[in-house]
Amino acid sequence: MTKEASTTATPFGDIMRRAVVATPNAIGGAFAARDGEMVDSYATGDPFDFAVLTAQYGVVLALLHAAFGTLHHGGVDYYIARYAKLDLVLYSVDAGYYAVMAIAREPDAQPDNEPFGDALATLAAATKELRREMG
């Protein structure tokens, strides 16, 4: 599937689409509320699967905020999760909203060829745009 697999309905989805298209191996990006409800997204695969993934990581991010808040370290700016075939980057946006990006892992990728630099840079830029769009 190409990176033009799904359409977006809002300016938030357009921001996420641009971030996904700009990030090597990215397969989806979403903007969601603290309860996991997706505002809009862009994904190259099944949109329902990506919505479920987005909601689940809203729970993870809420737990991280609670844990670090209890320890008086402040909130979580971003979080990275690594799996055998997928990497995820979550970014706190504002007022409990967050952005998530999924990056397909290449089976032969060398440890020094990680996608996080690109993903963190594009998602950080997208987060700034999301904040502006939120008003």
Side-chain angles (χ1 to χ4, degrees):
M1 228 179 246
T2 68
K3 286 198 177 189
E4 296 302 323
S6 69
T7 60
T8 59
T10 69
F12 299 114
D14 289 338
I15 292 166
M16 295 312 303
R17 181 192 55 76
R18 287 193 304 271
V20 169
V21 170
T23 304
N25 300 321
I27 59 171
F31 177 57
R34 98 175 60 232
D35 63 0
E37 183 174 345
M38 193 178 319
V39 175
D40 205 350
S41 68
Y42 174 82
T44 61
D46 184 333
F48 178 77
D49 287 347
F50 199 71
V52 170
L53 178 128
T54 298
Q56 294 299 320
Y57 275 90
V59 172
V60 170
L61 194 58
L63 291 170
L64 289 169
H65 278 292
F68 287 107
T70 300
L71 298 172
H72 308 292
H73 293 293
V76 176
D77 289 331
Y78 65 88
Y79 173 75
I80 298 171
R82 304 207 64 198
Y83 300 94
K85 297 180 182 179
L86 186 74
D87 293 321
L88 295 168
V89 178
L90 283 84
Y91 239 96
S92 295
V93 176
D94 202 8
Y97 286 85
Y98 64 97
V100 61
M101 183 181 291
I103 305 116
R105 303 239 0 233
E106 293 184 21
D108 305 350
Q110 299 299 314
D112 61 342
N113 187 19
E114 299 295 343
F116 296 124
D118 292 327
L120 286 170
T122 55
L123 204 50
T127 297
K128 289 179 185 176
E129 287 186 66
L130 292 166
R131 284 184 186 123
R132 277 195 299 273
E133 190 63 36
M134 288 172 72

